[in-house]
Amino acid sequence: MFNNHVSYNRMYREGELTLGLHIPLENFKMRTPTLERQVELAQRVDDYGFTALWLRDILLKDPNFLDPAVGQIYDMLIYGTHLLGQTKRIALGTSALVLPLRHPLRSAKEVATIEALFPERLILGISSGDRRADFKGLGVDHATRGEQFKESLRVMEQALYHNYPTIDSSYGEVHEATLVPRPKTRIPTMITGFAQQDMDWLGQHGDGWMYYPQAPFAQQQVLSDWRESGQTHGKGFRPFSMPMHLDLAHDADELPTPIRLGFRVGRNQLIKLLEAYRAIGVNHLFFALFDGQRPADEVIEELGEYVLPHFPPLS
């Protein structure tokens, strides 16, 4: 389906692993990020050959949430478009567009516009969402977000990929009208987490799957379930992506130590860890530097010089 899609083919191939990074590119821990030098660092990441920058869809700061930081502060799609305009090849990954919190026609218009302005540089991660404050603030029922997710996805894809579709939904009706612009090719759409669905549904509907970080042994089991589900529905290769929080140690040979959603590790041992993820079938892994001890620019330079050559872009 995506044989000619530039970003997809730089990022995804069966048996291979590529690397990306999570915005903000700084170690802010649980504080509010400063967003200093983000364009400069994004350009450096692009020049090294990292394949994607990933952003989060968060509306409100909620100190009661386990992660009180608010993503990259700015709206994901607006800020992501700004970063695309300042870089050359790197893809924008949404991690993830919370469908129940956005009208599907608006979502279709926005992603189609990004695709038109920056062809084949959008990787569309989608989810059902989890932040109750955002749902409450927008007056959206949190308990039924799974059903809303499915309906929103159906409406968004009808609008994106069908000319003059007939759409009847709880969001509204479309008759004798069509979306402009419409993408020339399908935008790779990756489901994040389970989105309140089961694995059988994911196997039917996802172009790929993103799941939360786990150690290789645990990740291997969910990845096996994902592959089996796709095979059940006659699907070919569909990629698996995951984030990983990284605290890169000064000592290149420091062994991995678990931290929140990832590891503290030296670069040589990181390469071995990434090889283990590649061996179990992870196709793309993106680092979050939020909990690191070292400055982000220093970590990016070390990753770019010593780690990325082992997991380069694919085309």
PDB file of all heavy atoms in Angstrom, residues 27 29 244-251 254-257 259-260 262-267 270 287-294 299:
ATOM      1  N   ASN A  27      15.573  17.943  28.360  1.00  0.00           N
ATOM      2  CA  ASN A  27      15.380  17.116  29.551  1.00  0.00           C
ATOM      3  C   ASN A  27      14.686  17.945  30.630  1.00  0.00           C
ATOM      4  O   ASN A  27      15.307  18.442  31.568  1.00  0.00           O
ATOM      5  CB  ASN A  27      16.718  16.559  30.052  1.00  0.00           C
ATOM      6  CG  ASN A  27      17.791  17.626  30.222  1.00  0.00           C
ATOM      7  OD1 ASN A  27      17.645  18.737  29.724  1.00  0.00           O
ATOM      8  ND2 ASN A  27      18.861  17.309  30.929  1.00  0.00           N
ATOM      9  N   LYS A  29      12.106  16.770  32.530  1.00  0.00           N
ATOM     10  CA  LYS A  29      11.551  15.895  33.568  1.00  0.00           C
ATOM     11  C   LYS A  29      10.061  16.186  33.734  1.00  0.00           C
ATOM     12  O   LYS A  29       9.316  16.139  32.778  1.00  0.00           O
ATOM     13  CB  LYS A  29      12.357  16.023  34.846  1.00  0.00           C
ATOM     14  CG  LYS A  29      13.816  15.586  34.659  1.00  0.00           C
ATOM     15  CD  LYS A  29      14.586  15.677  35.937  1.00  0.00           C
ATOM     16  CE  LYS A  29      15.990  15.120  35.755  1.00  0.00           C
ATOM     17  NZ  LYS A  29      16.799  15.881  34.773  1.00  0.00           N
ATOM     18  N   MET A 244      10.653   5.340  23.741  1.00  0.00           N
ATOM     19  CA  MET A 244      11.487   4.912  24.859  1.00  0.00           C
ATOM     20  C   MET A 244      12.140   6.124  25.493  1.00  0.00           C
ATOM     21  O   MET A 244      12.824   6.889  24.806  1.00  0.00           O
ATOM     22  CB  MET A 244      12.569   3.927  24.404  1.00  0.00           C
ATOM     23  CG  MET A 244      13.310   3.271  25.570  1.00  0.00           C
ATOM     24  SD  MET A 244      14.574   2.089  25.011  1.00  0.00           S
ATOM     25  CE  MET A 244      15.957   3.200  24.747  1.00  0.00           C
ATOM     26  N   HIS A 245      11.891   6.341  26.779  1.00  0.00           N
ATOM     27  CA  HIS A 245      12.587   7.401  27.488  1.00  0.00           C
ATOM     28  C   HIS A 245      14.048   6.993  27.656  1.00  0.00           C
ATOM     29  O   HIS A 245      14.352   5.839  27.980  1.00  0.00           O
ATOM     30  CB  HIS A 245      11.943   7.642  28.852  1.00  0.00           C
ATOM     31  CG  HIS A 245      10.646   8.374  28.753  1.00  0.00           C
ATOM     32  ND1 HIS A 245      10.241   9.298  29.698  1.00  0.00           N
ATOM     33  CD2 HIS A 245       9.647   8.337  27.833  1.00  0.00           C
ATOM     34  CE1 HIS A 245       9.048   9.787  29.358  1.00  0.00           C
ATOM     35  NE2 HIS A 245       8.685   9.218  28.233  1.00  0.00           N
ATOM     36  N   LEU A 246      14.941   7.949  27.422  1.00  0.00           N
ATOM     37  CA  LEU A 246      16.370   7.646  27.409  1.00  0.00           C
ATOM     38  C   LEU A 246      17.140   8.632  28.269  1.00  0.00           C
ATOM     39  O   LEU A 246      17.037   9.849  28.085  1.00  0.00           O
ATOM     40  CB  LEU A 246      16.910   7.701  25.971  1.00  0.00           C
ATOM     41  CG  LEU A 246      18.422   7.495  25.815  1.00  0.00           C
ATOM     42  CD1 LEU A 246      18.835   6.093  26.232  1.00  0.00           C
ATOM     43  CD2 LEU A 246      18.853   7.795  24.379  1.00  0.00           C
ATOM     44  N   ASP A 247      17.911   8.100  29.209  1.00  0.00           N
ATOM     45  CA  ASP A 247      18.910   8.859  29.948  1.00  0.00           C
ATOM     46  C   ASP A 247      20.253   8.288  29.520  1.00  0.00           C
ATOM     47  O   ASP A 247      20.690   7.247  30.009  1.00  0.00           O
ATOM     48  CB  ASP A 247      18.691   8.695  31.457  1.00  0.00           C
ATOM     49  CG  ASP A 247      19.709   9.478  32.284  1.00  0.00           C
ATOM     50  OD1 ASP A 247      20.472  10.274  31.696  1.00  0.00           O
ATOM     51  OD2 ASP A 247      19.754   9.276  33.515  1.00  0.00           O
ATOM     52  N   LEU A 248      20.904   8.937  28.566  1.00  0.00           N
ATOM     53  CA  LEU A 248      22.147   8.417  27.997  1.00  0.00           C
ATOM     54  C   LEU A 248      23.307   8.725  28.937  1.00  0.00           C
ATOM     55  O   LEU A 248      23.634   9.881  29.193  1.00  0.00           O
ATOM     56  CB  LEU A 248      22.397   9.029  26.617  1.00  0.00           C
ATOM     57  CG  LEU A 248      23.539   8.405  25.821  1.00  0.00           C
ATOM     58  CD1 LEU A 248      23.205   6.960  25.433  1.00  0.00           C
ATOM     59  CD2 LEU A 248      23.822   9.224  24.560  1.00  0.00           C
ATOM     60  N   ALA A 249      23.942   7.666  29.440  1.00  0.00           N
ATOM     61  CA  ALA A 249      25.031   7.817  30.406  1.00  0.00           C
ATOM     62  C   ALA A 249      26.310   8.299  29.718  1.00  0.00           C
ATOM     63  O   ALA A 249      26.538   8.053  28.534  1.00  0.00           O
ATOM     64  CB  ALA A 249      25.284   6.483  31.101  1.00  0.00           C
ATOM     65  N   HIS A 250      27.178   8.959  30.484  1.00  0.00           N
ATOM     66  CA  HIS A 250      28.490   9.366  29.958  1.00  0.00           C
ATOM     67  C   HIS A 250      29.343   8.149  29.639  1.00  0.00           C
ATOM     68  O   HIS A 250      30.062   8.128  28.627  1.00  0.00           O
ATOM     69  CB  HIS A 250      29.211  10.254  30.974  1.00  0.00           C
ATOM     70  CG  HIS A 250      28.710  11.666  31.011  1.00  0.00           C
ATOM     71  ND1 HIS A 250      28.983  12.584  30.020  1.00  0.00           N
ATOM     72  CD2 HIS A 250      27.949  12.317  31.928  1.00  0.00           C
ATOM     73  CE1 HIS A 250      28.428  13.746  30.319  1.00  0.00           C
ATOM     74  NE2 HIS A 250      27.792  13.613  31.473  1.00  0.00           N
ATOM     75  N   ASP A 251      29.274   7.139  30.508  1.00  0.00           N
ATOM     76  CA  ASP A 251      30.041   5.909  30.310  1.00  0.00           C
ATOM     77  C   ASP A 251      29.391   5.106  29.190  1.00  0.00           C
ATOM     78  O   ASP A 251      28.273   4.609  29.332  1.00  0.00           O
ATOM     79  CB  ASP A 251      30.055   5.104  31.611  1.00  0.00           C
ATOM     80  CG  ASP A 251      30.823   3.786  31.488  1.00  0.00           C
ATOM     81  OD1 ASP A 251      31.320   3.472  30.390  1.00  0.00           O
ATOM     82  OD2 ASP A 251      30.902   3.064  32.507  1.00  0.00           O
ATOM     83  N   GLU A 254      27.999   1.662  30.199  1.00  0.00           N
ATOM     84  CA  GLU A 254      27.104   1.480  31.351  1.00  0.00           C
ATOM     85  C   GLU A 254      25.920   0.601  30.961  1.00  0.00           C
ATOM     86  O   GLU A 254      25.263   0.829  29.945  1.00  0.00           O
ATOM     87  CB  GLU A 254      26.610   2.829  31.865  1.00  0.00           C
ATOM     88  CG  GLU A 254      25.731   2.701  33.108  1.00  0.00           C
ATOM     89  CD  GLU A 254      25.410   4.039  33.750  1.00  0.00           C
ATOM     90  OE1 GLU A 254      26.299   4.939  33.747  1.00  0.00           O
ATOM     91  OE2 GLU A 254      24.277   4.198  34.247  1.00  0.00           O
ATOM     92  N   LEU A 255      25.637  -0.398  31.790  1.00  0.00           N
ATOM     93  CA  LEU A 255      24.550  -1.339  31.522  1.00  0.00           C
ATOM     94  C   LEU A 255      23.193  -0.679  31.717  1.00  0.00           C
ATOM     95  O   LEU A 255      23.065   0.290  32.474  1.00  0.00           O
ATOM     96  CB  LEU A 255      24.678  -2.557  32.441  1.00  0.00           C
ATOM     97  CG  LEU A 255      25.916  -3.443  32.211  1.00  0.00           C
ATOM     98  CD1 LEU A 255      26.028  -4.483  33.311  1.00  0.00           C
ATOM     99  CD2 LEU A 255      25.855  -4.111  30.848  1.00  0.00           C
ATOM    100  N   PRO A 256      22.138  -1.184  31.065  1.00  0.00           N
ATOM    101  CA  PRO A 256      20.807  -0.583  31.188  1.00  0.00           C
ATOM    102  C   PRO A 256      20.258  -0.681  32.607  1.00  0.00           C
ATOM    103  O   PRO A 256      20.338  -1.734  33.250  1.00  0.00           O
ATOM    104  CB  PRO A 256      19.951  -1.404  30.217  1.00  0.00           C
ATOM    105  CG  PRO A 256      20.911  -2.073  29.300  1.00  0.00           C
ATOM    106  CD  PRO A 256      22.153  -2.296  30.092  1.00  0.00           C
ATOM    107  N   THR A 257      19.694   0.436  33.056  1.00  0.00           N
ATOM    108  CA  THR A 257      18.959   0.490  34.323  1.00  0.00           C
ATOM    109  C   THR A 257      17.581   1.066  34.023  1.00  0.00           C
ATOM    110  O   THR A 257      17.479   2.131  33.400  1.00  0.00           O
ATOM    111  CB  THR A 257      19.668   1.395  35.345  1.00  0.00           C
ATOM    112  OG1 THR A 257      21.003   0.921  35.560  1.00  0.00           O
ATOM    113  CG2 THR A 257      18.909   1.412  36.666  1.00  0.00           C
ATOM    114  N   ILE A 259      14.331   3.195  34.002  1.00  0.00           N
ATOM    115  CA  ILE A 259      13.801   4.461  34.499  1.00  0.00           C
ATOM    116  C   ILE A 259      12.339   4.527  34.053  1.00  0.00           C
ATOM    117  O   ILE A 259      11.819   3.588  33.454  1.00  0.00           O
ATOM    118  CB  ILE A 259      14.591   5.676  33.960  1.00  0.00           C
ATOM    119  CG1 ILE A 259      14.498   5.732  32.411  1.00  0.00           C
ATOM    120  CG2 ILE A 259      16.038   5.630  34.417  1.00  0.00           C
ATOM    121  CD1 ILE A 259      15.091   7.015  31.816  1.00  0.00           C
ATOM    122  N   ARG A 260      11.675   5.638  34.336  1.00  0.00           N
ATOM    123  CA  ARG A 260      10.283   5.798  33.924  1.00  0.00           C
ATOM    124  C   ARG A 260      10.169   5.659  32.406  1.00  0.00           C
ATOM    125  O   ARG A 260      10.732   6.448  31.654  1.00  0.00           O
ATOM    126  CB  ARG A 260       9.771   7.168  34.371  1.00  0.00           C
ATOM    127  CG  ARG A 260       8.314   7.459  34.039  1.00  0.00           C
ATOM    128  CD  ARG A 260       7.905   8.815  34.592  1.00  0.00           C
ATOM    129  NE  ARG A 260       8.505   9.915  33.884  1.00  0.00           N
ATOM    130  CZ  ARG A 260       7.888  10.660  32.965  1.00  0.00           C
ATOM    131  NH1 ARG A 260       6.641  10.393  32.623  1.00  0.00           N
ATOM    132  NH2 ARG A 260       8.506  11.665  32.384  1.00  0.00           N
ATOM    133  N   GLY A 262      11.527   3.742  30.277  1.00  0.00           N
ATOM    134  CA  GLY A 262      12.710   3.541  29.457  1.00  0.00           C
ATOM    135  C   GLY A 262      13.912   3.109  30.261  1.00  0.00           C
ATOM    136  O   GLY A 262      13.786   2.392  31.259  1.00  0.00           O
ATOM    137  N   PHE A 263      15.093   3.601  29.861  1.00  0.00           N
ATOM    138  CA  PHE A 263      16.348   3.126  30.440  1.00  0.00           C
ATOM    139  C   PHE A 263      17.370   4.252  30.560  1.00  0.00           C
ATOM    140  O   PHE A 263      17.420   5.163  29.742  1.00  0.00           O
ATOM    141  CB  PHE A 263      16.966   2.041  29.553  1.00  0.00           C
ATOM    142  CG  PHE A 263      16.133   0.796  29.435  1.00  0.00           C
ATOM    143  CD1 PHE A 263      15.255   0.655  28.360  1.00  0.00           C
ATOM    144  CD2 PHE A 263      16.212  -0.212  30.374  1.00  0.00           C
ATOM    145  CE1 PHE A 263      14.481  -0.488  28.231  1.00  0.00           C
ATOM    146  CE2 PHE A 263      15.439  -1.350  30.255  1.00  0.00           C
ATOM    147  CZ  PHE A 263      14.570  -1.495  29.185  1.00  0.00           C
ATOM    148  N   ARG A 264      18.199   4.137  31.594  1.00  0.00           N
ATOM    149  CA  ARG A 264      19.487   4.829  31.631  1.00  0.00           C
ATOM    150  C   ARG A 264      20.510   3.818  31.141  1.00  0.00           C
ATOM    151  O   ARG A 264      20.572   2.673  31.633  1.00  0.00           O
ATOM    152  CB  ARG A 264      19.833   5.296  33.043  1.00  0.00           C
ATOM    153  CG  ARG A 264      21.247   5.873  33.150  1.00  0.00           C
ATOM    154  CD  ARG A 264      21.596   6.343  34.545  1.00  0.00           C
ATOM    155  NE  ARG A 264      23.006   6.694  34.644  1.00  0.00           N
ATOM    156  CZ  ARG A 264      23.523   7.855  34.277  1.00  0.00           C
ATOM    157  NH1 ARG A 264      22.716   8.795  33.787  1.00  0.00           N
ATOM    158  NH2 ARG A 264      24.819   8.106  34.389  1.00  0.00           N
ATOM    159  N   VAL A 265      21.339   4.228  30.178  1.00  0.00           N
ATOM    160  CA  VAL A 265      22.231   3.266  29.545  1.00  0.00           C
ATOM    161  C   VAL A 265      23.324   4.005  28.785  1.00  0.00           C
ATOM    162  O   VAL A 265      23.128   5.137  28.321  1.00  0.00           O
ATOM    163  CB  VAL A 265      21.427   2.338  28.589  1.00  0.00           C
ATOM    164  CG1 VAL A 265      20.791   3.148  27.456  1.00  0.00           C
ATOM    165  CG2 VAL A 265      22.275   1.205  28.042  1.00  0.00           C
ATOM    166  N   GLY A 266      24.503   3.385  28.667  1.00  0.00           N
ATOM    167  CA  GLY A 266      25.567   3.915  27.832  1.00  0.00           C
ATOM    168  C   GLY A 266      25.348   3.545  26.377  1.00  0.00           C
ATOM    169  O   GLY A 266      24.635   2.591  26.061  1.00  0.00           O
ATOM    170  N   ARG A 267      25.998   4.271  25.477  1.00  0.00           N
ATOM    171  CA  ARG A 267      25.680   4.120  24.060  1.00  0.00           C
ATOM    172  C   ARG A 267      25.996   2.722  23.519  1.00  0.00           C
ATOM    173  O   ARG A 267      25.258   2.212  22.686  1.00  0.00           O
ATOM    174  CB  ARG A 267      26.377   5.185  23.227  1.00  0.00           C
ATOM    175  CG  ARG A 267      27.881   5.053  23.133  1.00  0.00           C
ATOM    176  CD  ARG A 267      28.442   5.978  22.059  1.00  0.00           C
ATOM    177  NE  ARG A 267      29.859   5.802  21.877  1.00  0.00           N
ATOM    178  CZ  ARG A 267      30.790   6.634  22.373  1.00  0.00           C
ATOM    179  NH1 ARG A 267      30.418   7.697  23.061  1.00  0.00           N
ATOM    180  NH2 ARG A 267      32.069   6.392  22.159  1.00  0.00           N
ATOM    181  N   LEU A 270      23.333   0.583  24.664  1.00  0.00           N
ATOM    182  CA  LEU A 270      22.101   0.980  23.977  1.00  0.00           C
ATOM    183  C   LEU A 270      22.018   0.315  22.611  1.00  0.00           C
ATOM    184  O   LEU A 270      20.952  -0.153  22.199  1.00  0.00           O
ATOM    185  CB  LEU A 270      22.050   2.505  23.828  1.00  0.00           C
ATOM    186  CG  LEU A 270      20.870   3.063  23.010  1.00  0.00           C
ATOM    187  CD1 LEU A 270      19.529   2.707  23.650  1.00  0.00           C
ATOM    188  CD2 LEU A 270      21.002   4.578  22.856  1.00  0.00           C
ATOM    189  N   PHE A 287      13.156   8.116  20.712  1.00  0.00           N
ATOM    190  CA  PHE A 287      13.648   8.445  22.040  1.00  0.00           C
ATOM    191  C   PHE A 287      12.979   9.705  22.574  1.00  0.00           C
ATOM    192  O   PHE A 287      12.875  10.718  21.882  1.00  0.00           O
ATOM    193  CB  PHE A 287      15.155   8.696  22.005  1.00  0.00           C
ATOM    194  CG  PHE A 287      15.974   7.508  21.582  1.00  0.00           C
ATOM    195  CD1 PHE A 287      16.727   7.565  20.412  1.00  0.00           C
ATOM    196  CD2 PHE A 287      16.001   6.365  22.340  1.00  0.00           C
ATOM    197  CE1 PHE A 287      17.501   6.488  20.019  1.00  0.00           C
ATOM    198  CE2 PHE A 287      16.767   5.267  21.950  1.00  0.00           C
ATOM    199  CZ  PHE A 287      17.514   5.327  20.791  1.00  0.00           C
ATOM    200  N   ALA A 288      12.578   9.652  23.849  1.00  0.00           N
ATOM    201  CA  ALA A 288      12.173  10.832  24.600  1.00  0.00           C
ATOM    202  C   ALA A 288      13.306  11.160  25.567  1.00  0.00           C
ATOM    203  O   ALA A 288      13.712  10.305  26.362  1.00  0.00           O
ATOM    204  CB  ALA A 288      10.873  10.568  25.359  1.00  0.00           C
ATOM    205  N   LEU A 289      13.830  12.364  25.490  1.00  0.00           N
ATOM    206  CA  LEU A 289      14.979  12.761  26.302  1.00  0.00           C
ATOM    207  C   LEU A 289      14.547  13.470  27.576  1.00  0.00           C
ATOM    208  O   LEU A 289      15.371  14.060  28.281  1.00  0.00           O
ATOM    209  CB  LEU A 289      15.893  13.677  25.474  1.00  0.00           C
ATOM    210  CG  LEU A 289      16.334  13.120  24.116  1.00  0.00           C
ATOM    211  CD1 LEU A 289      17.275  14.102  23.425  1.00  0.00           C
ATOM    212  CD2 LEU A 289      16.986  11.751  24.248  1.00  0.00           C
ATOM    213  N   PHE A 290      13.258  13.391  27.898  1.00  0.00           N
ATOM    214  CA  PHE A 290      12.668  14.179  28.975  1.00  0.00           C
ATOM    215  C   PHE A 290      13.344  13.942  30.325  1.00  0.00           C
ATOM    216  O   PHE A 290      13.499  14.863  31.123  1.00  0.00           O
ATOM    217  CB  PHE A 290      11.177  13.857  29.120  1.00  0.00           C
ATOM    218  CG  PHE A 290      10.391  13.854  27.842  1.00  0.00           C
ATOM    219  CD1 PHE A 290       9.201  13.148  27.755  1.00  0.00           C
ATOM    220  CD2 PHE A 290      10.814  14.560  26.726  1.00  0.00           C
ATOM    221  CE1 PHE A 290       8.463  13.139  26.583  1.00  0.00           C
ATOM    222  CE2 PHE A 290      10.094  14.562  25.552  1.00  0.00           C
ATOM    223  CZ  PHE A 290       8.901  13.843  25.484  1.00  0.00           C
ATOM    224  N   ASP A 291      13.707  12.691  30.617  1.00  0.00           N
ATOM    225  CA  ASP A 291      14.218  12.328  31.941  1.00  0.00           C
ATOM    226  C   ASP A 291      15.733  12.208  31.985  1.00  0.00           C
ATOM    227  O   ASP A 291      16.292  11.673  32.941  1.00  0.00           O
ATOM    228  CB  ASP A 291      13.593  10.998  32.391  1.00  0.00           C
ATOM    229  CG  ASP A 291      12.097  11.118  32.611  1.00  0.00           C
ATOM    230  OD1 ASP A 291      11.656  12.174  33.091  1.00  0.00           O
ATOM    231  OD2 ASP A 291      11.364  10.165  32.302  1.00  0.00           O
ATOM    232  N   GLY A 292      16.412  12.680  30.952  1.00  0.00           N
ATOM    233  CA  GLY A 292      17.860  12.564  30.908  1.00  0.00           C
ATOM    234  C   GLY A 292      18.559  13.536  31.835  1.00  0.00           C
ATOM    235  O   GLY A 292      18.003  14.563  32.240  1.00  0.00           O
ATOM    236  N   GLN A 293      19.813  13.231  32.137  1.00  0.00           N
ATOM    237  CA  GLN A 293      20.635  14.094  32.984  1.00  0.00           C
ATOM    238  C   GLN A 293      21.499  15.052  32.160  1.00  0.00           C
ATOM    239  O   GLN A 293      21.931  16.084  32.656  1.00  0.00           O
ATOM    240  CB  GLN A 293      21.545  13.230  33.863  1.00  0.00           C
ATOM    241  CG  GLN A 293      20.809  12.246  34.759  1.00  0.00           C
ATOM    242  CD  GLN A 293      19.883  12.927  35.732  1.00  0.00           C
ATOM    243  OE1 GLN A 293      20.250  13.890  36.397  1.00  0.00           O
ATOM    244  NE2 GLN A 293      18.649  12.434  35.814  1.00  0.00           N
ATOM    245  N   ARG A 294      21.746  14.705  30.892  1.00  0.00           N
ATOM    246  CA  ARG A 294      22.650  15.487  30.055  1.00  0.00           C
ATOM    247  C   ARG A 294      21.872  16.425  29.137  1.00  0.00           C
ATOM    248  O   ARG A 294      20.710  16.156  28.804  1.00  0.00           O
ATOM    249  CB  ARG A 294      23.521  14.547  29.230  1.00  0.00           C
ATOM    250  CG  ARG A 294      24.421  13.656  30.070  1.00  0.00           C
ATOM    251  CD  ARG A 294      25.011  12.525  29.245  1.00  0.00           C
ATOM    252  NE  ARG A 294      25.825  13.017  28.126  1.00  0.00           N
ATOM    253  CZ  ARG A 294      26.328  12.225  27.172  1.00  0.00           C
ATOM    254  NH1 ARG A 294      26.083  10.923  27.179  1.00  0.00           N
ATOM    255  NH2 ARG A 294      27.053  12.750  26.201  1.00  0.00           N
ATOM    256  N   VAL A 299      23.321  14.849  23.831  1.00  0.00           N
ATOM    257  CA  VAL A 299      22.811  13.489  23.633  1.00  0.00           C
ATOM    258  C   VAL A 299      22.514  13.244  22.155  1.00  0.00           C
ATOM    259  O   VAL A 299      22.853  12.192  21.601  1.00  0.00           O
ATOM    260  CB  VAL A 299      21.549  13.255  24.490  1.00  0.00           C
ATOM    261  CG1 VAL A 299      20.903  11.903  24.155  1.00  0.00           C
ATOM    262  CG2 VAL A 299      21.890  13.320  25.967  1.00  0.00           C
TER     263      VAL A 299
END
